[in-house]
Amino acid sequence: MLVVMDAHATEDQVRAVCEKIESVGLRTHAIPGAQRTAIGITGNQGMVEIGLEDMPGVQEVIRVSKPYKLVSRDVKSENTVVAFPGTDTTIGGTDLAVIAGPCAVESRQQAFAAAEHVAKAGARFFRGGAYKPRTSPYAFQGLGEEGLRILAEIRERLGLLIVTEAVDYESLDLVERYADMIQIGARNMQNFSLLKRAGKARKPVLLKRGMSATLEEFLMAAEYVMSEGNYQLVLCERGVRTFADHTRNTLDLSIVPAVHRLSHLPILVDPSHGTGKRDKVIPLSRAAIAVGADGLIVEVHPDPDRALSDGPQSIYPEQFEELMSEMRQIAPIVKRTVPQPVAVAATNIR
Ligand code: PEP
Ligand code: MN
């Protein structure tokens, strides 16, 4: 159920409606929009009749038939713009967001080398896993908290915002403490208890699409995060499993306009995991921007041949510069902008 307030409803009226809903054991999500506030109601609503229609300030009460509510444009018609306190960087506004860096933080030297390159080329966000969900238990699993410390140092020294994956409760506590954005990986898209924990976090969440998730399953996973009160959420298409074997996954770019139609949440595209092949990253990045994605998350490694994970899909720093330059040319066609690089002093960490 959704309560749409009048454009002129007062804060007291919104609060009174929320209190009435909460008095029957349901949860409220007051979501202010440009025109009016909508109050999403979650919890098991069964046949509860609350009698909200006649309350002061209420315009209408809508029964939402879709299984997801808070992620839907029914609740909020304007696009969500995720902001990062203390910066002018956003995801979902006019600026395209670029998150770049290696698959994994392997060492301080490797992470700093990658970070300097991507910052100079214009990325505002740095990625790098400290906890790696690997198919083989014998493959490199990440540096753990030590990796997070390196990432935090990169933020301090280079001013990049840090995006890194949490794989369980314990790592989520740590990622929330050290990073600027919490990544939930494809393999955990339906880890409902982890999604609920991310919903309680006070940092934005980047939710990757599961490798066989439908659009509805993807939006329901996002609903888990929002239903716990975290509305700072960004989706990410990273390819799905198909019969095609010329790429690691099949990048489903058609989900970008499909998400934009149904949801106010931003969506990024990951052409690295989406193709698994370095030579396909730039072409699919162009396509992602052209199709209307709100930005990219791309793997960049200073020495991909020696990468401890995902080397074959990691692009070289020079290719990343080329990618940024092409993005700047494509962005105006889709009425988007690419932020200028921030000034970066060399750190000389070797
Ligand atoms: C990653 O971003 O390094 C990653 C493991 O991605 P995904 O969850 O999409 O496989
Ligand atoms: Mn990877």
Side-chain angles (χ1 to χ4, degrees), residues 102-104 127 129 132-134 165 183 187 208 248 270 272-273 299 309-311 313-314:
C103 181
R127 62 149 294 147
K132 293 308 304 174
R134 303 303 298 280
E165 181 168 354
Q183 177 175 327
R187 289 158 192 79
K208 299 189 89 176
R248 176 178 176 186
D270 175 347
S272 308
H273 295 87
E299 288 185 342
S309 67
D310 287 349
Q313 69 193 34
S314 300

Side-chain angles (χ1 to χ4, degrees), residues 86 103 150 158 174 227 250 258 322 349:
C103 181
I150 295 170
L158 297 169
L174 289 168
S227 69
T250 296
E322 170 63 22
I349 293 171

